Amino acid sequence: MNTAARISALTADSPPEEVSAVLSAAASAAETASESEDAALTTALADGLLALPASVSTTGAGQHLCRLTAELAKREENRARLSVPSLLRRLVEVLAAAGEPKEDVDDLVQPCRALGNLCYEGEPARAGLLEPPGPAALTAAVLKATTAGKEGVRAREVASGLVLNFINDYQAGVDWAVDSESLNRLIASCCDDVTQSSLLRHTLVAAAVVVDSPRREALLGSRLAALLAVCLLPQREPSVLEEALETAAAWCPHDEARLALAHGGVADSLVCLLPAVNCPSEARALLVELLSGDQAMAAVYRRGEGAVYKEVRRWLAEGGGAAETLTACACDALSNFATNDDHATGMVRSGVHLDLVPPLKSDSARLQMAALSLLRNLCLPSANKVALLETGMLDHLLSLSVVEQPALFKTEE
């Protein structure tokens, strides 16, 4: 008798050991099953759920049921068939019965895998998990995973994946994640241990999901900004760094979020990241975007004493000694600082404009445009105009207006 037939042969009177053995064998078979075998197992499980004894959820058989479901739910065509109330109820029961994660014990891991895979782009599973006692069981699972210490590494990884799949493009799931503090717990867990790459990526993407929802402001008081600041340092692995940049970029268009990121040290991390070898190009755009908000920019400027302001000021002062990318980024960032008249006046007083001569004389159109943008903002306060003229800035501007290449015009016949 093949594995699918053995599942179909189970009844409510089947001994617990037999149920456990059959489901264990089915889970192992599903790990290497062909597409046709996979479909047969899915059919057998879906058809045989009501015949399984009620005790399956609270015995070792429950873990095998979760492992089998997790494997079968990797295929999109199986998820809809398995997202039925009877199976979801069993999986939630196993999740609720799971104890604290311990070394080599995956009581929490398997139900999280099963539910997480079913929830991946699976509206029926997510709606079913939202039915009581699903939310309470899920909240308890996240709490267990995030307080489990070093033994809970794998549990945190799969629990965060389940949370992400549950809330992605699903507002009711976002409401649960915010109201239950589950997402905040994952963020705090990431801050406490930044070595768990999968946990970091899942949590960062989940935070990006929330920014597009009406519950965005609820995360502003969390440790999200601190987490992003830690993830944007040069030593982070590329996949984590990429997710952190995307998440921060998603939050940056909102003024209140920009201010939170500025206070959380994101700009400080970015100025550490930008000089690094193979720094992603998105980092420069993110720093400039972060400084485009008046409040965030002022919080970073700190009356000319901010570490970020001093660092980008140094990039410009180095002139030819700094990479073109850094010099251009310095001009763009300083241009945002100079949108405030008081800042612009102080910047001219400190001689920022004198460092614009090398980029203005550069052969790089990119550097020239960045320098001109900064100079334009420095010119806005009346007090600065005289100082700029006295230092000969007009002569440098006039030299840029001389074009050796004559203009060519095409006449129509």
Side-chain angles (χ1 to χ4, degrees), residues 17-37:
E17 345 36 278
E18 180 184 351
V19 176
S20 183
V22 170
L23 292 177
S24 176
S28 298
E31 293 176 351
T32 57
S34 65
E35 187 171 347
S36 59
E37 293 169 333

Side-chain angles (χ1 to χ4, degrees), residues 344-345 348-349 353-354 375 378-395:
T345 302
V348 168
R349 192 181 303 120
H353 58 295
L354 300 177
L375 186 58
L378 291 175
C379 287
L380 294 178
S382 300
N384 282 355
K385 290 180 172 63
V386 175
L388 292 170
L389 288 171
E390 289 177 345
T391 54
M393 294 305 297
L394 181 58
D395 294 333

